Amino acid sequence: MSATILVGTQWGDEGKGKIIDVLTKDVDCVIRFQGGNNAGHTVIIGDDKYVLHLIPSGIFRGDVKNIIGNGVVVDPISLVEEMKGLIDSKINVDNIELSSRAQMVMPYHKKMDLLKEANRAEGDKIGTTGRGIGPAYCDKATRSGIRAYELLDLELFKARFTTECEKYNAIFADADFEQLDIDATWTELENAAKFLKSNIKDSVYTINKLIKENKNILFEGAQGALLDIDHGTYPFVTSSSTTSGGACGGTGVSPRHIDSVYGVIKAYTTRVGEGPFQTELFDEVGKELARIGHEFGATTGRPRRCGWFDAVASGYSCMVNGIDKLAITKLDVLDKLKEIKICTSYEIDGKITKEMPSDCKLLEKVVPQYEVLEGWVSPTTEARAFDELPKKAQIYLKRMAELVNADIGIVSVGPKRDQTFTVNH
Ligand code: GDP
Ligand code: IMO
Ligand code: MG
């Protein structure tokens, strides 16, 4: 039996979906533990590209169970759409289980997300995905959220939805913001609830039974550690615990059962949305990374900001997550660069530090201190073993791992399943 947590170590979009799909070859169950359909996890199988938002990336391996855990906030209408999309592509969705304890994202949460963002002053905007994530976690914390098991009793669900929606509509009216049509919205929700009925289970028991049966379990993180509500670049973060610690609370599994933590790390850095980004590039190299790496958000289509690998931020993230193995992705995107920089420390107000400040205002002042490495200027996309990589690429990867104090477990040299290899120590 093994229980492995996989998390993103930067600001999201590190390639978690691809790595989960690869690792799922040897796994019995994949579980999402936080976030919602703000996530966009890309899996490419043959010539087909799939982007998953709520459904775990183990869905393409027929016999694998895919659980949406209690820590996830679930938009039921969007989940049904996603399931129907997979059914249309002849992907089996019978193995999906939705935790009865998961919080529901309601249409009023999405509206509230947009209203709050519109009301934030320039400079304070977070650049959310507009999927209602913050307001849904807000309702969870204030104990007025609707949980999945409530979808099983339509009469009760309708009453709860109507009461909550009326409260939100009053706020929208005060703000001169368009209100929700309760009847029309209810029809959509009722259809979704009926569709999901057979998927709703108390997954805490399912997961703990699998652990007792010595099955292999993989926890799929969404977003990235630097977007964590506690450990990220607050307030420019998402509203959930994206770090490895979140996997236990978000699924009902004891930390005693966790064996290892995989950290997915891009060979450079990207960020989508607002907030500090210490190594962001505004020059031609940044544009080149975005172009070659196809850096557009998988959920919103927004261009991703690009920059050099930041060993201070990623080192902090590996420490908080307790990463023992790295899955380094998108190495191939650097193939044409003559020189590659790694940020190894920050200068803030004239002082050098290797620690990530908690204060975003200090992060904005960071002058990154770079180490410059020679580029390998040759393709890596055909490599299927570490020693098949150009020597300079090997040096780059080893330096990344050394700086963040973790071992390399997997290297990814392209978006396809087979453009991946493991590294043994
Ligand atoms: P996630 O949110 O962490 O699952 O990542 P996304 O799917 O949002 O973004 C990662 C993007 O990079 C997707 O378009 C993947 O197909 C692609 N990708 C993943 N690994 C690699 C790689 O090693 N090389 C290249 N070139 N693309 C990759
Ligand atoms: P995956 O799982 C990248 C960002 C948004 C915004 C901030 C808050 O694909 O890596 P939210 O809608 O969560 O309240 O937005 O978080 N964000 C992501 N950025 N990848 C993601 O997910 C993200 N999910 C949220 O852009 O800056
Ligand atoms: Mg993504």
Side-chain angles (χ1 to χ4, degrees):
M1 174 246 161
S2 76
T4 304
I5 301 171
L6 180 143
V7 290
T9 56
Q10 292 151 315
W11 280 289
D13 305 324
E14 298 89 350
K16 298 175 290 293
K18 179 198 154 158
I19 302 297
I20 289 275
D21 170 62
V22 169
L23 290 176
T24 307
K25 184 165 60 64
D26 303 314
V27 154
D28 302 292
C29 177
V30 182
I31 316 165
R32 275 279 306 269
F33 57 88
Q34 46 69 228
N37 64 345
N38 47 349
H41 296 177
T42 313
V43 179
I44 295 179
I45 299 166
D47 293 329
D48 299 320
K49 174 175 160 175
Y50 302 91
V51 180
L52 299 166
H53 301 287
L54 278 163
I55 297 172
S57 306
I59 196 69
F60 305 103
R61 313 265 185 185
D63 46 353
V64 170
K65 196 172 236 339
N66 289 274
I67 299 180
I68 300 169
N70 57 274
V72 180
V73 288
V74 178
D75 177 336
I77 297 169
S78 163
L79 175 57
V80 170
E81 246 170 55
E82 202 173 324
M83 286 170 76
K84 286 185 174 167
L86 290 178
I87 294 168
D88 288 346
S89 303
K90 310 264 180 292
I91 309 291
N92 176 25
V93 296
D94 296 343
N95 271 343
I96 296 176
E97 189 173 308
L98 168 60
S99 169
S100 54
R101 295 164 199 263
Q103 295 279 328
M104 298 293 101
V105 179
M106 291 285 111
Y108 45 77
H109 290 137
K110 288 206 283 192
K111 261 192 178 298
M112 192 50 144
D113 197 355
L114 300 178
L115 175 61
K116 283 194 163 177
E117 193 69 351
N119 284 344
R120 284 185 185 110
E122 250 354 280
D124 292 341
K125 290 194 192 297
I126 293 166
T128 73
T129 59
R131 300 295 191 269
I133 307 300
Y137 277 113
C138 217
D139 273 359
K140 174 181 179 175
T142 54
R143 289 148 293 175
S144 57
I146 296 176
R147 301 215 284 180
Y149 69 80
E150 297 185 68
L151 271 58
L152 299 173
D153 181 337
L154 287 176
E155 214 174 297
L156 220 98
F157 177 30
K158 186 176 185 183
R160 287 271 283 123
F161 163 71
T162 307
T163 308
E164 289 302 313
C165 199
E166 280 167 352
K167 279 198 246 168
Y168 273 92
N169 269 348
I171 300 170
F172 298 146
D174 274 352
D176 252 344
F177 209 63
E178 195 195 353
Q179 296 180 48
L180 271 175
D181 177 332
I182 294 185
D183 290 335
T185 313
W186 169 249
T187 307
E188 272 190 276
L189 284 172
E190 186 180 25
N191 289 337
K194 285 179 181 163
F195 188 94
L196 293 172
K197 197 173 168 197
S198 62
N199 301 95
I200 299 171
K201 308 258 168 66
D202 195 345
S203 306
V204 171
Y205 284 100
T206 315
I207 302 165
N208 279 286
K209 263 184 216 151
L210 290 169
I211 289 173
K212 232 178 175 169
E213 289 164 8
N214 283 323
K215 300 289 189 200
N216 293 329
I217 291 168
L218 192 53
F219 297 86
E220 175 174 348
Q223 288 77 55
L226 301 175
L227 287 171
D228 184 279
I229 182 83
D230 288 284
H231 304 291
T233 48
Y234 191 92
F236 302 97
V237 291
T238 191
S239 302
S240 64
S241 297
T242 61
T243 41
S244 56
C248 291
T251 58
V253 169
S254 160
R256 279 202 300 123
H257 296 304
I258 306 300
D259 298 296
S260 60
V261 186
Y262 246 110
V264 188
I265 195 160
K266 221 178 255 198
Y268 48 101
T269 312
T270 61
R271 175 165 202 165
V272 57
E274 304 303 322
F277 181 175
Q278 299 80 276
T279 58
E280 184 166 12
L281 288 167
F282 299 96
D283 59 4
E284 282 311 309
V285 180
K287 284 185 195 141
E288 190 76 348
L289 291 175
R291 190 182 61 77
I292 299 173
H294 301 291
E295 294 297 356
F296 291 93
T299 296
T300 57
R302 289 176 292 177
R304 294 175 184 148
R305 300 151 66 190
C306 295
W308 295 120
F309 176 64
D310 181 345
V312 177
S314 293
Y316 162 78
S317 168
C318 287
M319 173 183 77
V320 171
N321 282 296
I323 303 295
D324 39 25
K325 274 191 210 150
L326 297 170
I328 304 183
T329 60
K330 304 194 98 163
L331 183 69
D332 54 295
V333 176
L334 306 180
D335 281 354
K336 291 196 172 129
L337 299 182
K338 289 200 184 71
E339 64 175 32
I340 302 170
K341 293 185 184 172
I342 297 181
C343 169
T344 53
S345 59
Y346 295 161
E347 187 194 308
I348 304 170
D349 292 333
K351 289 202 184 95
I352 298 289
T353 178
K354 286 185 187 299
E355 292 189 2
M356 173 98 172
S358 51
D359 180 350
C360 263
K361 283 188 221 77
L362 290 183
L363 279 171
E364 295 288 5
K365 288 189 186 175
V366 162
V367 182
Q369 305 299 299
Y370 289 113
E371 185 174 295
V372 183
L373 281 82
E374 277 180 63
W376 44 95
V377 204
S378 57
T380 56
T381 47
E382 300 301 319
R384 295 296 178 268
F386 195 77
D387 58 14
E388 288 178 21
L389 287 171
K391 270 273 155 341
K392 285 174 185 165
Q394 295 182 21
I395 291 169
Y396 181 70
L397 290 176
K398 281 186 186 162
R399 187 68 182 132
M400 278 179 79
E402 179 184 40
L403 285 166
V404 302
N405 198 24
D407 286 335
I408 305 171
I410 291 179
V411 177
S412 171
V413 290
K416 296 186 175 164
R417 259 184 185 170
D418 68 341
Q419 289 180 303
T420 320
F421 53 82
T422 51
V423 180
N424 295 318
H425 295 272

